Amino acid sequence: MFTVREIANALGAEAAGNLDLRIARAAEPQEATADALAMAMSPKYAEALKDGAARVALVWEGADWQAMGLEAAVFVTRPRLAMSGVTRMLDLGQRETAGIHASAVIDPSAKIGANVTIGPLTVVGPDAVIGDGALIGAHCFIGADVTIGKDANLREMVSIGARVSIGDRFRAQPGARIAADGFSYVTPETSGVENARKTLGDQGDTKAQSWVRIHSLGSVRIGDDVEVGANCTIDNGTIRDTVIGNGTKLDNQVHVGHNCRIGNDCLLCGQTGLSGSVDIGDNVVLGGQCGVADNVFIGDRVIAGGGTKILSNVPAGRVMMGYPAVKMDTHTDMYKVQRRLPRLMRDIEALKKAVFK
Amino acid sequence: MFTVREIANALGAEAAGNLDLRIARAAEPQEATADALAMAMSPKYAEALKDGAARVALVWEGADWQAMGLEAAVFVTRPRLAMSGVTRMLDLGQRETAGIHASAVIDPSAKIGANVTIGPLTVVGPDAVIGDGALIGAHCFIGADVTIGKDANLREMVSIGARVSIGDRFRAQPGARIAADGFSYVTPETSGVENARKTLGDQGDTKAQSWVRIHSLGSVRIGDDVEVGANCTIDNGTIRDTVIGNGTKLDNQVHVGHNCRIGNDCLLCGQTGLSGSVDIGDNVVLGGQCGVADNVFIGDRVIAGGGTKILSNVPAGRVMMGYPAVKMDTHTDMYKVQRRLPRLMRDIEALKKAVFK
Amino acid sequence: MFTVREIANALGAEAAGNLDLRIARAAEPQEATADALAMAMSPKYAEALKDGAARVALVWEGADWQAMGLEAAVFVTRPRLAMSGVTRMLDLGQRETAGIHASAVIDPSAKIGANVTIGPLTVVGPDAVIGDGALIGAHCFIGADVTIGKDANLREMVSIGARVSIGDRFRAQPGARIAADGFSYVTPETSGVENARKTLGDQGDTKAQSWVRIHSLGSVRIGDDVEVGANCTIDNGTIRDTVIGNGTKLDNQVHVGHNCRIGNDCLLCGQTGLSGSVDIGDNVVLGGQCGVADNVFIGDRVIAGGGTKILSNVPAGRVMMGYPAVKMDTHTDMYKVQRRLPRLMRDIEALKKAVFK
């Protein structure tokens, strides 16, 4: 429970009305109970306040909160930023019991920091190091020689393979897989794939062969403030480590192949996949279900719309779309023409009749 | 073991021949043993009966079963519906041992219904409620304050985060992840992504910034008769719950983002992904690897072919295809023209020569 | 630690210089320590030797290793094949403790071979058979009646459902899911999807219905030398087993639907998905994020580029690309024309003006 005053102070926001009202939860306006803070940050949402029982709301600057029937209001200028502050205050977490659960299997050589919570049936391997303040859920696996910084937050069933190093404030959602072996094979002689890549489509005279495994000697190195979504997979590097920079966030079911290097403050949205040895700069945003071919370089601040398949290098600052990826405005132009194609064909038929008949 | 009579009765189907023959399993005709029920529901499959040892088969109405060398036959009009009935009868399950395994870690405050089986090493959190008749596999995690209705069937390694509520007859496959935190971030000031969305491609003069987390206060609310595939991920809502309606089925590796609302009796096929706040009606079918952009509305009875990327609202009843999604017949027309494009170009060259030379 | 001589012998490669130097690890040239074997298999990489401290390197045939400042060199003709041999020798694994961990839950009826390691909290079900030399990580689940051949290597949190049979030298990465139930449903009467498939887009006059489950009676049958990536999902067959041939490798997050048959020595790259009843020959390579529609047949030695969606049968030996998939050279032609479309439109406008005005 927080007072309206405490919430406004935490957000650095102006507030008006009864600042001593106490808030137990956040709610959409139409579902707000009397102890809820309603999210009414635009006139469109404020309409629904009358369908709920809110006495306090987050509202836009200059909103006539009294006319909305409220007893107090907090004024916000950037609604989603205010949401960030409010949701952090009101997050109920997973109700973990503090301390190390008796059923956890922790190697005696592991070094566990101060104020660490480890859930039931979690395994911590030899020589693993877990920093102060970590909150580790049930059924996790922390492999041998893993290092995790301060204030980590791991949900249930996260696995981290041997020798991974991770910075501070790491977050991982259920089923995230760090440090699987890379997918790397070779045939004894030249394969059809090698030929088809060179010729863009011709396999040539290769014979069918079995695949020989290239093992992963590298591990995964993750910076500070990284978050990894549910059922993500991040592969070990072959010789050196796969690297993820500070502040980068991966959504659910993102796949990062071996040897990839991802810079700082990137967002990779749901089900996006990076092949091996992809090199991504800082502040890159890849929408959902994007794909990047192996060995491709993507410059700083590139943005790709959902479903974009990037098959070749992209210079810094570009906004991309399509399969294969092109600049978003090129994509828009190409798409417009495509939709006009049936009419174009009729025009050409008419021209042919007029000119050649 | 069932007699032919029992099977015919369960299917509500006519049968002929020796109805006392006993059936231990179902089989494809060519692999059928003498105690198997062969699936020979069309003349194409009936051919292969002679390669197996079946004495009984499911056949089409009017089939000359005696000429096929059978001793008994069950006549079906809708083959896949008959398969449903037969496979339900003959399902061997996972051979779970009834009761609660000694190694399970169950919080004393959890309420476990009658006739519940809980497998080895499963964790049930505080105040969780599990309805009668549930069958819960090994290595599952049921979080704090979760409610699950009657007759649930969870395979191994399913995880369900805090405060999720689920109706009756819920099924979840291995590794399904319910209630991961939503993927929701904001930059302190306007970001390049916000600009690029408004302008369809221009990031404008934004500076590089780090991402600030928006926590998930909502949970996930799931109706009756819902089934969730292996390694699916369903995220918590931000303020309210993410919602999945009655009778909806999710295939493996489907991703449902925060705040989505899915109606009743939908099918989402393998690897399909919904961004945040997608709103889907009833009886919608999305083929494999479909994607839906955030905040998109999809009306009742929409069908999308495999690989369709839906980037804007779709009215009820439409059949869609493509990236970006268009009506399926539009897609067919566009595609036909595309294949004729190289010839079109030659026509235009000829016209230019004739007209302008 | 190996000597240069031992490494050269293992690779069947020529070597020169001080063959008694001892190697502790492999490294990229610029990061090589004095006890590392540098990977300098082309002049491009050899440049960076001067930034590291390597005394030994893998180099190309005829390389002037002394001029590079090395004390010894191993000459390789096919660099990735040499990588395979070197990485196998130097793989550190996960530091598992040999033997069966006290916390594992093993059914007394399970048959465990000689020299088997089973990690903490792994569950082995009734009548499961695990061959000699298996290395099974923490938190795995091996279901009832499962058979696994010799020398398996399972990382943590792998699950294998009842009645699966697997050959020798099986490898599975964290979170791989073998034998989930198939995704198979039917409506009591004809559904809109059935009509839309027949008419390519028209649902006709069907009514909204609920889905009835078709259970999976089959299991999964896997050959020798198969490898399955992290968080993959392989579904049970409906009547017969889903089948994966010898030597086939699946990357992370690959989905294989019920009843699929995959031949020998195939590679399915990251996030590729097969619908139900897909039939794939031998030596097929599907790039990342490929999709294959249900009941499609793909011949031997087919190669598909990343993101290809295969919606109809593909004859042996083809190289495919696109959505929907076409031959790669057709795709290249179509794409070239598409990029020229805006210019084409202007040409047609000019022609119309000249001819019709």
PDB file of all heavy atoms in Angstrom, chain A residues 121 163 179 181 185 187 194 203 206 213 215 235 309 347, chain C residues 78 80 84 87 91 93 139 155 173 227 252 289 301 352:
ATOM      1  N   LEU A 121      14.455 -27.254  -5.315  1.00  0.00           N
ATOM      2  CA  LEU A 121      14.932 -28.146  -6.366  1.00  0.00           C
ATOM      3  C   LEU A 121      15.824 -27.458  -7.395  1.00  0.00           C
ATOM      4  O   LEU A 121      16.004 -27.950  -8.506  1.00  0.00           O
ATOM      5  CB  LEU A 121      13.752 -28.832  -7.059  1.00  0.00           C
ATOM      6  CG  LEU A 121      12.836 -29.632  -6.114  1.00  0.00           C
ATOM      7  CD1 LEU A 121      11.584 -30.100  -6.836  1.00  0.00           C
ATOM      8  CD2 LEU A 121      13.569 -30.818  -5.525  1.00  0.00           C
ATOM      9  N   ARG A 163      30.454 -22.261 -17.289  1.00  0.00           N
ATOM     10  CA  ARG A 163      31.403 -21.188 -17.643  1.00  0.00           C
ATOM     11  C   ARG A 163      30.767 -19.901 -18.167  1.00  0.00           C
ATOM     12  O   ARG A 163      31.471 -19.026 -18.688  1.00  0.00           O
ATOM     13  CB  ARG A 163      32.458 -21.699 -18.640  1.00  0.00           C
ATOM     14  CG  ARG A 163      33.366 -22.794 -18.080  1.00  0.00           C
ATOM     15  CD  ARG A 163      34.317 -23.380 -19.087  1.00  0.00           C
ATOM     16  NE  ARG A 163      33.644 -24.126 -20.148  1.00  0.00           N
ATOM     17  CZ  ARG A 163      33.175 -25.374 -20.012  1.00  0.00           C
ATOM     18  NH1 ARG A 163      33.328 -26.025 -18.874  1.00  0.00           N
ATOM     19  NH2 ARG A 163      32.560 -25.978 -21.015  1.00  0.00           N
ATOM     20  N   ALA A 179      23.606 -21.014 -22.978  1.00  0.00           N
ATOM     21  CA  ALA A 179      24.789 -21.873 -23.183  1.00  0.00           C
ATOM     22  C   ALA A 179      24.465 -23.302 -23.596  1.00  0.00           C
ATOM     23  O   ALA A 179      25.050 -24.265 -23.089  1.00  0.00           O
ATOM     24  CB  ALA A 179      25.710 -21.845 -21.965  1.00  0.00           C
ATOM     25  N   ASP A 181      24.983 -25.989 -26.670  1.00  0.00           N
ATOM     26  CA  ASP A 181      26.068 -26.130 -27.647  1.00  0.00           C
ATOM     27  C   ASP A 181      25.650 -25.507 -28.977  1.00  0.00           C
ATOM     28  O   ASP A 181      24.489 -25.590 -29.366  1.00  0.00           O
ATOM     29  CB  ASP A 181      26.384 -27.613 -27.890  1.00  0.00           C
ATOM     30  CG  ASP A 181      26.939 -28.289 -26.643  1.00  0.00           C
ATOM     31  OD1 ASP A 181      27.279 -27.591 -25.680  1.00  0.00           O
ATOM     32  OD2 ASP A 181      27.020 -29.526 -26.643  1.00  0.00           O
ATOM     33  N   TYR A 185      28.342 -27.937 -37.963  1.00  0.00           N
ATOM     34  CA  TYR A 185      28.730 -29.229 -38.514  1.00  0.00           C
ATOM     35  C   TYR A 185      29.490 -29.008 -39.801  1.00  0.00           C
ATOM     36  O   TYR A 185      29.412 -27.957 -40.414  1.00  0.00           O
ATOM     37  CB  TYR A 185      27.487 -30.098 -38.780  1.00  0.00           C
ATOM     38  CG  TYR A 185      26.693 -30.339 -37.531  1.00  0.00           C
ATOM     39  CD1 TYR A 185      25.668 -29.468 -37.153  1.00  0.00           C
ATOM     40  CD2 TYR A 185      26.988 -31.405 -36.690  1.00  0.00           C
ATOM     41  CE1 TYR A 185      24.964 -29.661 -35.971  1.00  0.00           C
ATOM     42  CE2 TYR A 185      26.291 -31.606 -35.514  1.00  0.00           C
ATOM     43  CZ  TYR A 185      25.277 -30.729 -35.164  1.00  0.00           C
ATOM     44  OH  TYR A 185      24.600 -30.924 -33.994  1.00  0.00           O
ATOM     45  N   THR A 187      30.935 -31.375 -43.440  1.00  0.00           N
ATOM     46  CA  THR A 187      31.065 -32.665 -44.124  1.00  0.00           C
ATOM     47  C   THR A 187      32.540 -32.885 -44.468  1.00  0.00           C
ATOM     48  O   THR A 187      33.275 -31.919 -44.699  1.00  0.00           O
ATOM     49  CB  THR A 187      30.251 -32.681 -45.424  1.00  0.00           C
ATOM     50  OG1 THR A 187      30.497 -31.463 -46.135  1.00  0.00           O
ATOM     51  CG2 THR A 187      28.766 -32.800 -45.137  1.00  0.00           C
ATOM     52  N   GLU A 194      27.538 -25.859 -49.539  1.00  0.00           N
ATOM     53  CA  GLU A 194      28.652 -24.948 -49.835  1.00  0.00           C
ATOM     54  C   GLU A 194      28.599 -24.490 -51.290  1.00  0.00           C
ATOM     55  O   GLU A 194      28.764 -23.306 -51.589  1.00  0.00           O
ATOM     56  CB  GLU A 194      29.996 -25.630 -49.543  1.00  0.00           C
ATOM     57  CG  GLU A 194      30.244 -25.849 -48.057  1.00  0.00           C
ATOM     58  CD  GLU A 194      31.456 -26.749 -47.801  1.00  0.00           C
ATOM     59  OE1 GLU A 194      32.587 -26.325 -48.075  1.00  0.00           O
ATOM     60  OE2 GLU A 194      31.251 -27.896 -47.325  1.00  0.00           O
ATOM     61  N   GLN A 203      23.920 -26.966 -56.642  1.00  0.00           N
ATOM     62  CA  GLN A 203      24.651 -27.824 -55.718  1.00  0.00           C
ATOM     63  C   GLN A 203      25.881 -28.454 -56.352  1.00  0.00           C
ATOM     64  O   GLN A 203      26.757 -28.939 -55.645  1.00  0.00           O
ATOM     65  CB  GLN A 203      23.757 -28.964 -55.217  1.00  0.00           C
ATOM     66  CG  GLN A 203      22.548 -28.509 -54.454  1.00  0.00           C
ATOM     67  CD  GLN A 203      21.982 -29.637 -53.622  1.00  0.00           C
ATOM     68  OE1 GLN A 203      22.703 -30.430 -53.050  1.00  0.00           O
ATOM     69  NE2 GLN A 203      20.664 -29.718 -53.561  1.00  0.00           N
ATOM     70  N   THR A 206      28.180 -32.875 -55.867  1.00  0.00           N
ATOM     71  CA  THR A 206      28.648 -33.316 -54.552  1.00  0.00           C
ATOM     72  C   THR A 206      27.973 -34.627 -54.199  1.00  0.00           C
ATOM     73  O   THR A 206      26.872 -34.912 -54.634  1.00  0.00           O
ATOM     74  CB  THR A 206      28.294 -32.270 -53.496  1.00  0.00           C
ATOM     75  OG1 THR A 206      26.905 -31.960 -53.641  1.00  0.00           O
ATOM     76  CG2 THR A 206      29.112 -31.022 -53.676  1.00  0.00           C
ATOM     77  N   ARG A 213      30.468 -33.162 -36.220  1.00  0.00           N
ATOM     78  CA  ARG A 213      30.192 -32.132 -35.232  1.00  0.00           C
ATOM     79  C   ARG A 213      31.394 -31.233 -34.975  1.00  0.00           C
ATOM     80  O   ARG A 213      32.516 -31.708 -34.816  1.00  0.00           O
ATOM     81  CB  ARG A 213      29.843 -32.865 -33.946  1.00  0.00           C
ATOM     82  CG  ARG A 213      29.435 -32.021 -32.799  1.00  0.00           C
ATOM     83  CD  ARG A 213      28.844 -32.926 -31.719  1.00  0.00           C
ATOM     84  NE  ARG A 213      27.726 -32.261 -31.138  1.00  0.00           N
ATOM     85  CZ  ARG A 213      27.831 -31.456 -30.083  1.00  0.00           C
ATOM     86  NH1 ARG A 213      28.971 -31.273 -29.484  1.00  0.00           N
ATOM     87  NH2 ARG A 213      26.772 -30.827 -29.633  1.00  0.00           N
ATOM     88  N   HIS A 215      32.476 -28.987 -31.934  1.00  0.00           N
ATOM     89  CA  HIS A 215      32.086 -28.746 -30.541  1.00  0.00           C
ATOM     90  C   HIS A 215      32.231 -27.270 -30.188  1.00  0.00           C
ATOM     91  O   HIS A 215      32.943 -26.526 -30.853  1.00  0.00           O
ATOM     92  CB  HIS A 215      32.957 -29.591 -29.613  1.00  0.00           C
ATOM     93  CG  HIS A 215      32.699 -31.060 -29.723  1.00  0.00           C
ATOM     94  ND1 HIS A 215      32.250 -31.826 -28.690  1.00  0.00           N
ATOM     95  CD2 HIS A 215      32.802 -31.913 -30.781  1.00  0.00           C
ATOM     96  CE1 HIS A 215      32.108 -33.079 -29.078  1.00  0.00           C
ATOM     97  NE2 HIS A 215      32.444 -33.160 -30.348  1.00  0.00           N
ATOM     98  N   ASP A 235      23.279 -19.775 -27.629  1.00  0.00           N
ATOM     99  CA  ASP A 235      24.286 -20.829 -27.805  1.00  0.00           C
ATOM    100  C   ASP A 235      25.689 -20.375 -27.438  1.00  0.00           C
ATOM    101  O   ASP A 235      26.051 -19.210 -27.613  1.00  0.00           O
ATOM    102  CB  ASP A 235      24.304 -21.289 -29.264  1.00  0.00           C
ATOM    103  CG  ASP A 235      23.220 -22.316 -29.547  1.00  0.00           C
ATOM    104  OD1 ASP A 235      22.445 -22.650 -28.633  1.00  0.00           O
ATOM    105  OD2 ASP A 235      23.159 -22.776 -30.704  1.00  0.00           O
ATOM    106  N   LYS A 309      13.436 -10.420 -42.627  1.00  0.00           N
ATOM    107  CA  LYS A 309      14.522 -11.393 -42.727  1.00  0.00           C
ATOM    108  C   LYS A 309      15.731 -10.687 -43.326  1.00  0.00           C
ATOM    109  O   LYS A 309      15.734 -10.334 -44.517  1.00  0.00           O
ATOM    110  CB  LYS A 309      14.117 -12.575 -43.614  1.00  0.00           C
ATOM    111  CG  LYS A 309      12.787 -13.232 -43.252  1.00  0.00           C
ATOM    112  CD  LYS A 309      12.736 -13.831 -41.850  1.00  0.00           C
ATOM    113  CE  LYS A 309      11.361 -14.427 -41.574  1.00  0.00           C
ATOM    114  NZ  LYS A 309      11.126 -14.766 -40.177  1.00  0.00           N
ATOM    115  N   ASP A 347      -3.337  -2.934 -68.598  1.00  0.00           N
ATOM    116  CA  ASP A 347      -2.821  -1.800 -69.396  1.00  0.00           C
ATOM    117  C   ASP A 347      -1.891  -2.305 -70.498  1.00  0.00           C
ATOM    118  O   ASP A 347      -1.958  -1.843 -71.648  1.00  0.00           O
ATOM    119  CB  ASP A 347      -2.034  -0.829 -68.498  1.00  0.00           C
ATOM    120  CG  ASP A 347      -2.959  -0.024 -67.583  1.00  0.00           C
ATOM    121  OD1 ASP A 347      -4.197  -0.108 -67.756  1.00  0.00           O
ATOM    122  OD2 ASP A 347      -2.436   0.677 -66.694  1.00  0.00           O
TER     123      ASP A 347
ATOM    124  N   ARG C  78      41.082 -28.464 -45.002  1.00  0.00           N
ATOM    125  CA  ARG C  78      39.651 -28.146 -44.911  1.00  0.00           C
ATOM    126  C   ARG C  78      39.421 -27.606 -43.502  1.00  0.00           C
ATOM    127  O   ARG C  78      39.212 -28.368 -42.550  1.00  0.00           O
ATOM    128  CB  ARG C  78      38.837 -29.410 -45.181  1.00  0.00           C
ATOM    129  CG  ARG C  78      37.361 -29.164 -45.303  1.00  0.00           C
ATOM    130  CD  ARG C  78      36.661 -30.232 -46.121  1.00  0.00           C
ATOM    131  NE  ARG C  78      35.221 -30.206 -45.951  1.00  0.00           N
ATOM    132  CZ  ARG C  78      34.401 -29.334 -46.533  1.00  0.00           C
ATOM    133  NH1 ARG C  78      34.872 -28.415 -47.350  1.00  0.00           N
ATOM    134  NH2 ARG C  78      33.092 -29.375 -46.293  1.00  0.00           N
ATOM    135  N   ARG C  80      37.183 -26.162 -41.498  1.00  0.00           N
ATOM    136  CA  ARG C  80      36.111 -26.520 -40.568  1.00  0.00           C
ATOM    137  C   ARG C  80      36.210 -27.990 -40.152  1.00  0.00           C
ATOM    138  O   ARG C  80      35.827 -28.343 -39.044  1.00  0.00           O
ATOM    139  CB  ARG C  80      34.740 -26.216 -41.160  1.00  0.00           C
ATOM    140  CG  ARG C  80      34.423 -24.703 -41.124  1.00  0.00           C
ATOM    141  CD  ARG C  80      33.135 -24.372 -41.852  1.00  0.00           C
ATOM    142  NE  ARG C  80      31.986 -25.059 -41.291  1.00  0.00           N
ATOM    143  CZ  ARG C  80      31.297 -24.632 -40.227  1.00  0.00           C
ATOM    144  NH1 ARG C  80      31.647 -23.521 -39.612  1.00  0.00           N
ATOM    145  NH2 ARG C  80      30.262 -25.312 -39.798  1.00  0.00           N
ATOM    146  N   SER C  84      36.571 -29.386 -36.313  1.00  0.00           N
ATOM    147  CA  SER C  84      35.813 -30.469 -35.709  1.00  0.00           C
ATOM    148  C   SER C  84      36.714 -31.338 -34.837  1.00  0.00           C
ATOM    149  O   SER C  84      36.411 -31.606 -33.670  1.00  0.00           O
ATOM    150  CB  SER C  84      35.140 -31.295 -36.808  1.00  0.00           C
ATOM    151  OG  SER C  84      34.625 -32.471 -36.272  1.00  0.00           O
ATOM    152  N   THR C  87      38.119 -29.254 -31.735  1.00  0.00           N
ATOM    153  CA  THR C  87      37.137 -28.920 -30.685  1.00  0.00           C
ATOM    154  C   THR C  87      36.688 -30.180 -29.950  1.00  0.00           C
ATOM    155  O   THR C  87      36.376 -30.116 -28.764  1.00  0.00           O
ATOM    156  CB  THR C  87      35.921 -28.177 -31.265  1.00  0.00           C
ATOM    157  OG1 THR C  87      35.318 -28.983 -32.295  1.00  0.00           O
ATOM    158  CG2 THR C  87      36.316 -26.821 -31.830  1.00  0.00           C
ATOM    159  N   ASP C  91      37.096 -30.149 -25.845  1.00  0.00           N
ATOM    160  CA  ASP C  91      35.794 -29.886 -25.219  1.00  0.00           C
ATOM    161  C   ASP C  91      35.858 -30.175 -23.714  1.00  0.00           C
ATOM    162  O   ASP C  91      36.212 -31.277 -23.302  1.00  0.00           O
ATOM    163  CB  ASP C  91      34.738 -30.789 -25.875  1.00  0.00           C
ATOM    164  CG  ASP C  91      33.319 -30.419 -25.460  1.00  0.00           C
ATOM    165  OD1 ASP C  91      33.149 -29.693 -24.460  1.00  0.00           O
ATOM    166  OD2 ASP C  91      32.380 -30.867 -26.139  1.00  0.00           O
ATOM    167  N   GLY C  93      33.257 -30.013 -21.642  1.00  0.00           N
ATOM    168  CA  GLY C  93      32.001 -30.556 -21.143  1.00  0.00           C
ATOM    169  C   GLY C  93      31.406 -29.720 -20.024  1.00  0.00           C
ATOM    170  O   GLY C  93      31.717 -28.535 -19.874  1.00  0.00           O
ATOM    171  N   HIS C 139      18.023 -32.570 -13.871  1.00  0.00           N
ATOM    172  CA  HIS C 139      16.651 -32.163 -14.164  1.00  0.00           C
ATOM    173  C   HIS C 139      16.113 -32.747 -15.469  1.00  0.00           C
ATOM    174  O   HIS C 139      15.294 -32.112 -16.143  1.00  0.00           O
ATOM    175  CB  HIS C 139      16.566 -30.637 -14.308  1.00  0.00           C
ATOM    176  CG  HIS C 139      16.506 -29.891 -13.016  1.00  0.00           C
ATOM    177  ND1 HIS C 139      15.437 -29.950 -12.165  1.00  0.00           N
ATOM    178  CD2 HIS C 139      17.391 -29.031 -12.439  1.00  0.00           C
ATOM    179  CE1 HIS C 139      15.665 -29.159 -11.121  1.00  0.00           C
ATOM    180  NE2 HIS C 139      16.838 -28.601 -11.250  1.00  0.00           N
ATOM    181  N   ARG C 155      21.981 -32.874 -22.106  1.00  0.00           N
ATOM    182  CA  ARG C 155      22.185 -31.724 -21.220  1.00  0.00           C
ATOM    183  C   ARG C 155      21.015 -31.614 -20.235  1.00  0.00           C
ATOM    184  O   ARG C 155      20.083 -32.417 -20.263  1.00  0.00           O
ATOM    185  CB  ARG C 155      22.335 -30.456 -22.069  1.00  0.00           C
ATOM    186  CG  ARG C 155      23.664 -30.377 -22.826  1.00  0.00           C
ATOM    187  CD  ARG C 155      24.798 -29.890 -21.940  1.00  0.00           C
ATOM    188  NE  ARG C 155      24.472 -28.616 -21.347  1.00  0.00           N
ATOM    189  CZ  ARG C 155      24.764 -27.438 -21.886  1.00  0.00           C
ATOM    190  NH1 ARG C 155      25.453 -27.372 -22.999  1.00  0.00           N
ATOM    191  NH2 ARG C 155      24.423 -26.308 -21.295  1.00  0.00           N
ATOM    192  N   GLN C 173      20.118 -31.010 -26.359  1.00  0.00           N
ATOM    193  CA  GLN C 173      20.464 -29.773 -25.665  1.00  0.00           C
ATOM    194  C   GLN C 173      19.379 -29.413 -24.638  1.00  0.00           C
ATOM    195  O   GLN C 173      18.287 -29.972 -24.662  1.00  0.00           O
ATOM    196  CB  GLN C 173      20.651 -28.651 -26.699  1.00  0.00           C
ATOM    197  CG  GLN C 173      21.759 -28.922 -27.704  1.00  0.00           C
ATOM    198  CD  GLN C 173      23.105 -29.104 -27.052  1.00  0.00           C
ATOM    199  OE1 GLN C 173      23.452 -28.378 -26.134  1.00  0.00           O
ATOM    200  NE2 GLN C 173      23.862 -30.111 -27.488  1.00  0.00           N
ATOM    201  N   GLU C 227      21.032 -35.471 -33.229  1.00  0.00           N
ATOM    202  CA  GLU C 227      21.228 -34.415 -32.240  1.00  0.00           C
ATOM    203  C   GLU C 227      20.035 -33.466 -32.283  1.00  0.00           C
ATOM    204  O   GLU C 227      19.565 -33.100 -33.360  1.00  0.00           O
ATOM    205  CB  GLU C 227      22.534 -33.665 -32.520  1.00  0.00           C
ATOM    206  CG  GLU C 227      23.734 -34.612 -32.566  1.00  0.00           C
ATOM    207  CD  GLU C 227      25.085 -33.915 -32.601  1.00  0.00           C
ATOM    208  OE1 GLU C 227      25.154 -32.708 -32.286  1.00  0.00           O
ATOM    209  OE2 GLU C 227      26.068 -34.577 -32.943  1.00  0.00           O
ATOM    210  N   ASN C 252      18.294 -25.384 -32.440  1.00  0.00           N
ATOM    211  CA  ASN C 252      17.397 -24.935 -31.371  1.00  0.00           C
ATOM    212  C   ASN C 252      16.012 -24.545 -31.896  1.00  0.00           C
ATOM    213  O   ASN C 252      15.872 -24.002 -32.987  1.00  0.00           O
ATOM    214  CB  ASN C 252      17.973 -23.691 -30.677  1.00  0.00           C
ATOM    215  CG  ASN C 252      19.263 -23.969 -29.952  1.00  0.00           C
ATOM    216  OD1 ASN C 252      19.665 -25.114 -29.801  1.00  0.00           O
ATOM    217  ND2 ASN C 252      19.925 -22.918 -29.497  1.00  0.00           N
ATOM    218  N   GLN C 289      14.336 -20.816 -39.671  1.00  0.00           N
ATOM    219  CA  GLN C 289      12.976 -20.280 -39.800  1.00  0.00           C
ATOM    220  C   GLN C 289      12.262 -20.734 -41.061  1.00  0.00           C
ATOM    221  O   GLN C 289      11.361 -20.056 -41.556  1.00  0.00           O
ATOM    222  CB  GLN C 289      12.988 -18.749 -39.710  1.00  0.00           C
ATOM    223  CG  GLN C 289      13.528 -18.253 -38.363  1.00  0.00           C
ATOM    224  CD  GLN C 289      13.471 -16.749 -38.209  1.00  0.00           C
ATOM    225  OE1 GLN C 289      13.521 -16.016 -39.195  1.00  0.00           O
ATOM    226  NE2 GLN C 289      13.354 -16.273 -36.980  1.00  0.00           N
ATOM    227  N   ARG C 301      18.221 -34.489 -50.773  1.00  0.00           N
ATOM    228  CA  ARG C 301      19.196 -33.447 -51.127  1.00  0.00           C
ATOM    229  C   ARG C 301      18.572 -32.092 -51.457  1.00  0.00           C
ATOM    230  O   ARG C 301      19.231 -31.232 -52.049  1.00  0.00           O
ATOM    231  CB  ARG C 301      20.096 -33.909 -52.279  1.00  0.00           C
ATOM    232  CG  ARG C 301      20.870 -35.195 -51.950  1.00  0.00           C
ATOM    233  CD  ARG C 301      21.858 -35.570 -53.027  1.00  0.00           C
ATOM    234  NE  ARG C 301      22.976 -34.667 -53.052  1.00  0.00           N
ATOM    235  CZ  ARG C 301      23.391 -34.005 -54.136  1.00  0.00           C
ATOM    236  NH1 ARG C 301      22.776 -34.142 -55.273  1.00  0.00           N
ATOM    237  NH2 ARG C 301      24.416 -33.210 -54.058  1.00  0.00           N
ATOM    238  N   LYS C 352       1.333   4.743 -72.386  1.00  0.00           N
ATOM    239  CA  LYS C 352      -0.095   5.037 -72.507  1.00  0.00           C
ATOM    240  C   LYS C 352      -0.321   6.448 -73.061  1.00  0.00           C
ATOM    241  O   LYS C 352      -1.177   6.675 -73.906  1.00  0.00           O
ATOM    242  CB  LYS C 352      -0.779   4.897 -71.133  1.00  0.00           C
ATOM    243  CG  LYS C 352      -1.044   3.437 -70.773  1.00  0.00           C
ATOM    244  CD  LYS C 352      -1.297   3.222 -69.294  1.00  0.00           C
ATOM    245  CE  LYS C 352      -2.633   3.788 -68.841  1.00  0.00           C
ATOM    246  NZ  LYS C 352      -2.839   3.492 -67.392  1.00  0.00           N
TER     247      LYS C 352
END
